[in-house]
Amino acid sequence: MRQIRHIAGILAGMAILVGAPSFAQDADLSPEIAATTDQLIADALLDEVGLQFVEDLTTEVGARLGGSPDEARARVWAMNALKELNFDRTRVEDFTIPYWARTRESARVIGANAQDLVITALGGSRATPEGGLEADIVRFETLSDLKAADADSLAGKIAFIDERMYKTQDGSGYGLAVRKRGGCANAAAEKGAVACLIRSVGTQPHRMPHTGGMFREGALGALPAAALSGPDADQLTRLLDRGPVRVNLDIGVEYADAAPSGNVIAEVEGSDLEDEIILIGCHLDSWDLGTGALDDGAGCGIVVGAAKLIADLPEKPRRTIRVVLYGSEEVGLFGANAYARQHGDDLDKHMLAAESDFGAGRIWRFQTNFGEAAISYADVMKQVLTPLGVSEGDNAAGGGPDIGVLRRAGVPVVTPAQDGRDYFDYHHTPDDTFDKIDPEAFRQNVAVYAAFTYIAAQTGWDFRKSEPTSMGSD
Ligand code: ZN
Ligand code: ZN
């Protein structure tokens, strides 16, 4: 830790020079906290609780679409599981969401080259008439190309966006891909189209379409909209090379303005700083095609496994650790927004938040989003995580979808970035199943979460950007 002290000293000096608040702490872990953290890491690398949680959730509940009876069953299941693990104050915080579910989906090329295409409806797709609608396909390379098309040029047609997504370690290809998925129906409707097809988001070559949400107000978007599997997008493109292609698209949906959902919450009660919260979260809902193992059963197993290790220590941590299994993330971050509404008055008690929602790949980088004065605390966490193969990230962590609202409200967040190179091979497809989780990588995640969560809970360090009002250091 000597080097950390040195860096912290330089930072403190810089803070004085530039006139920033001079409450920078010379950070170090007490021998007791360091020893307990080491023990937590060792225990986490043998974790059974977290992995069992994902196995049981994905086996006994399976898919759990936001607002569906399956998600309701998942809440009951999770409540029971968390109570059995002896967490404190286990509860559901209810809210309602606009509900959407597919009831049928198919697509078929008609005419001389008649054949079926593999599709799946996007969340929020409108229904077609029973028996399907029939229209000519107009292909676009990108969403921008569709947006640039002449007004009414797609009257009575189906727009097809063939944009590809590429693999990256940090998943950065997903943002662009999501714009296509989210925006296709609106852009196509503006040009007079009757439906929209996209090449599946995702990076796998299999004949499996990838579902996901689209822009909508309430339960429904602008048009019937579906994703073609990658090979089917290729097939459609080859057919279009040979001449006009006409397709029958048949989608059935059910929807409701208000369906029950909820956040499942469990805590490890703190001691002398009990009213201060370290939040670690995941989302309990999933898409309906797979069993939601990587997205996001794994995240829930990781945070539950980490919290359980801390709960089992001989002494309570100083701050309260709050595990939040958010509801209805996939269908529009409803759980995150409900949490912010329901906890708006005590967001200033949230001292740190983190979320695991990127599968179960090894954590390769640890980013923080702390106040300048707390950079030395970030350095301590990074040093502790180095032996787990985690490299040092910057101080620009986004946190994750469900805790974005907390970050924007000023809650410090960390991003333990997982290796996402194969995440989008499975994500939102029928192939997102329990066998895709590598237990060793999963346990490394549990170790990282247990370590930084315990340090944040036990040191009492203040990570915020504004000057602390009540906090001391360790
Ligand atoms: Zn997710
Ligand atoms: Zn997802």
Side-chain angles (χ1 to χ4, degrees):
M1 295 297 159
R2 200 155 285 148
Q3 193 190 355
I4 293 167
R5 273 219 186 88
H6 179 64
I7 293 166
I10 292 172
L11 283 170
M14 281 167 60
I16 289 161
L17 279 177
V18 298
S22 58
F23 50 86
Q25 299 295 330
D26 187 7
D28 213 342
L29 293 177
S30 69
E32 294 77 19
I33 295 179
T36 304
T37 306
D38 285 348
Q39 189 58 49
L40 284 168
I41 289 173
D43 291 345
L45 294 175
L46 302 169
D47 163 81
E48 292 296 338
V49 170
L51 200 58
Q52 193 65 48
F53 190 90
V54 199
E55 183 188 319
D56 291 349
L57 172 66
T58 55
T59 304
E60 295 168 22
V61 180
R64 41 204 186 276
L65 185 66
S68 71
D70 296 327
E71 196 201 22
R73 207 154 46 87
R75 283 194 295 282
V76 172
W77 178 91
M79 283 288 289
N80 287 336
L82 294 166
K83 280 180 182 164
E84 258 173 46
L85 290 169
N86 286 320
F87 281 103
D88 304 312
R89 294 191 285 260
T90 302
R91 61 193 185 271
V92 178
E93 294 181 353
D94 295 311
F95 53 89
T96 61
I97 67 157
Y99 172 64
W100 174 96
R102 77 192 80 243
T103 56
R104 64 173 201 279
E105 54 191 17
S106 65
R108 183 166 173 79
V109 174
I110 51 182
N113 302 317
Q115 56 189 288
D116 291 335
L117 297 170
V118 176
I119 61 150
T120 193
L122 299 179
S125 168
R126 286 183 180 260
T128 64
E130 195 123 10
L133 60 79
E134 211 178 281
D136 291 334
I137 301 285
V138 182
R139 179 180 175 277
F140 296 92
E141 289 280 345
T142 65
L143 175 62
S144 306
D145 292 344
L146 167 57
K147 286 182 171 172
D150 292 337
D152 288 330
S153 60
L154 296 181
K157 306 241 184 350
I158 297 173
F160 164 43
I161 305 180
D162 200 18
E163 201 164 358
R164 280 169 195 274
M165 175 175 162
Y166 294 96
K167 282 192 187 214
T168 55
Q169 186 172 23
D170 63 0
S172 53
Y174 188 54
L176 189 67
V178 163
R179 279 204 282 282
K180 164 189 75 174
R181 191 181 73 205
C184 182
N186 280 354
E190 267 176 36
K191 311 297 180 188
V194 293
C196 167
L197 289 174
I198 61 166
R199 171 186 284 273
S200 278
V201 170
T203 50
Q204 46 86 13
H206 301 289
R207 205 172 182 192
M208 286 185 305
H210 173 287
T211 192
M214 60 190 254
F215 297 133
R216 47 180 149 157
E217 297 199 1
L220 294 178
L223 291 176
L228 291 153
S229 83
D232 288 86
D234 293 340
Q235 181 81 334
L236 187 55
T237 297
R238 282 191 299 267
L239 285 166
L240 285 163
D241 287 344
R242 286 159 170 78
V245 178
R246 201 163 171 81
V247 164
N248 178 290
L249 178 68
D250 189 20
I251 293 173
V253 307
E254 58 184 17
Y255 61 95
D257 291 336
S261 188
N263 295 325
V264 178
I265 298 179
E267 294 180 346
V268 181
E269 216 173 64
S271 53
D272 62 314
L273 301 175
E274 188 194 346
D275 64 335
E276 296 182 358
I277 295 156
I278 308 300
L279 185 154
I280 50 177
C282 64
H283 65 84
L284 185 60
D285 67 308
S286 74
W287 279 105
D288 51 341
L289 302 182
T291 61
L294 292 173
D295 187 15
D296 182 28
C300 293
I302 288 162
V303 297
V304 167
K308 176 63 177 164
L309 288 167
I310 299 171
D312 286 348
L313 291 172
E315 284 178 33
K316 286 181 177 186
R318 296 181 66 203
R319 286 168 166 159
T320 293
I321 294 160
R322 180 176 289 170
V323 178
V324 183
L325 281 51
Y326 289 94
S328 296
E329 186 269 352
E330 296 289 7
V331 291
L333 297 174
F334 290 101
N337 292 324
Y339 184 91
R341 269 198 315 277
Q342 289 160 348
H343 296 270
D345 291 342
D346 64 350
L347 285 185
D348 62 332
K349 296 288 182 199
H350 289 64
M351 309 310 287
L352 184 70
E355 175 181 15
S356 179
D357 183 18
F358 199 55
R362 291 183 72 86
I363 292 170
W364 62 281
R365 183 178 67 180
F366 187 78
Q367 293 169 285
T368 55
N369 199 326
F370 293 174
E372 281 303 311
I375 293 296
S376 58
Y377 304 148
D379 291 336
V380 171
M381 289 179 171
K382 290 170 187 170
Q383 292 263 325
V384 166
L385 299 176
T386 301
L388 288 165
V390 182
S391 66
E392 297 192 5
D394 58 21
N395 193 41
D402 279 309
I403 62 169
V405 61
L406 301 180
R407 175 176 49 76
R408 291 190 291 276
V411 176
V413 301
V414 297
T415 299
Q418 292 162 295
D419 187 334
R421 273 173 295 193
D422 67 355
Y423 183 55
F424 293 104
D425 291 351
Y426 308 117
H427 174 262
H428 293 197
T429 75
D431 225 7
D432 180 3
T433 48
F434 181 69
D435 53 293
K436 308 307 182 306
I437 295 175
D438 169 1
E440 210 174 302
F442 178 94
R443 292 183 177 113
Q444 185 252 15
N445 277 261
V446 178
V448 169
Y449 272 79
F452 78 77
T453 301
Y454 177 70
I455 290 170
Q458 195 64 16
T459 57
W461 285 340
D462 194 318
F463 308 108
R464 293 174 297 185
K465 296 196 179 199
S466 56
E467 185 150 6
T469 48
S470 60
M471 283 291 69
S473 67
D474 57 326

